[in-house]
Amino acid sequence: NKLLRLPDGDFLFPLQNSSFSNPAFNDSNYAIVGRGTDLDDATSWTFEPIIGSAGLIQPSTTPAWGPAGTTTLVTFFRDQTRHHVYRSTSHDGASWSAPVPTELPNNDAGIEAILLSTTALALAFNPVTEGRDPLALALSTDGGETWPCARNLQHGNSTDADEMPEFSYPSLLQTPDGMIHLTYTYNRETIKYKRVDEAWVRAACGEHTGPGG
């Protein structure tokens, strides 16, 4: 997932180890966070595993607003057991809480989260535990603890009804005009692009856009 630039200028890089050779993680895949000062100097980087992340991969890290306007870092994980999107938090990017399940389902497929200009979090994911259809966008106003609003971005195949549709591996960004841009794998044939805004997601839940929800 994306590199993150921290306020002190350091870079944060969420990634995974797939060597299946660390007994501390039951010889499973696990998540790692790298932190460095120079993209061109590997010696400036340190890499630390997230304790408790066995079977939790492809981490997506974003800033989030905490109590009383404080900021924190939050990482979301793909779950290889196909149960939930998991969540971990950090105040400095060095030490992380043990990941815990969120209310969002996960199908062992990629996710991505970003902080929006309204301070809400947006997370793209498949809201199922089997298959990779539909693909949805969910919103949280409490740093990812709850996700009261979500809307499908794509549901069902628009090209071949005889094939099982797959919409996966989303990537998100927001531009200064407030638009949320999303790309994702479309049936493993091409990359599809969509553009929505926060109000479009909230309209499905009877909500209005505003700072913090």
Side-chain angles (χ1 to χ4, degrees), residues 30-204:
Y30 59 93
I32 298 173
V33 174
R35 182 167 181 160
T37 59
D38 189 340
L39 294 179
D40 296 317
D41 181 7
T43 64
S44 76
W45 285 77
T46 59
F47 296 89
E48 295 293 335
I50 296 180
I51 302 303
S53 67
L56 303 177
I57 62 171
Q58 295 178 351
S60 176
T61 302
T62 179
W65 287 99
T70 60
T71 58
T72 188
L73 296 168
V74 59
T75 294
F76 300 96
F77 306 84
R78 167 182 174 173
D79 176 15
Q80 292 194 290
T81 66
R82 300 188 180 190
H83 290 108
H84 299 278
V85 174
Y86 275 68
R87 174 181 179 268
S88 173
T89 59
S90 173
H91 293 293
D92 57 9
S95 60
W96 291 83
S97 64
V100 296
T102 70
E103 65 194 68
L104 299 178
N106 185 249
N107 54 341
D108 190 17
I111 59 173
E112 186 162 82
I114 60 170
L115 176 66
L116 301 180
S117 58
T118 60
T119 74
L121 293 183
L123 187 142
F125 72 116
N126 299 108
V128 291
T129 55
E130 296 290 339
R132 294 184 174 183
D133 174 33
L135 182 70
L137 190 65
L139 299 175
S140 172
T141 59
D142 57 10
E145 292 188 21
T146 62
W147 299 87
C149 191
R151 186 170 184 177
N152 286 344
L153 292 154
Q154 172 119 29
H155 188 14
N157 199 334
S158 61
T159 59
D160 188 347
D162 295 328
E163 296 291 331
M164 182 177 294
E166 178 181 336
F167 316 119
S168 53
Y169 300 105
S171 183
L172 294 168
L173 65 82
Q174 186 181 38
T175 44
D177 60 2
M179 298 305 296
I180 303 168
H181 304 262
L182 176 109
T183 58
Y184 57 96
T185 298
Y186 183 80
N187 289 333
R188 292 187 180 262
E189 295 175 353
T190 188
I191 295 173
K192 193 165 186 177
Y193 164 79
K194 286 198 172 185
R195 182 181 65 183
V196 301
D197 60 16
E198 186 176 339
W200 178 84
V201 182
R202 294 194 181 280

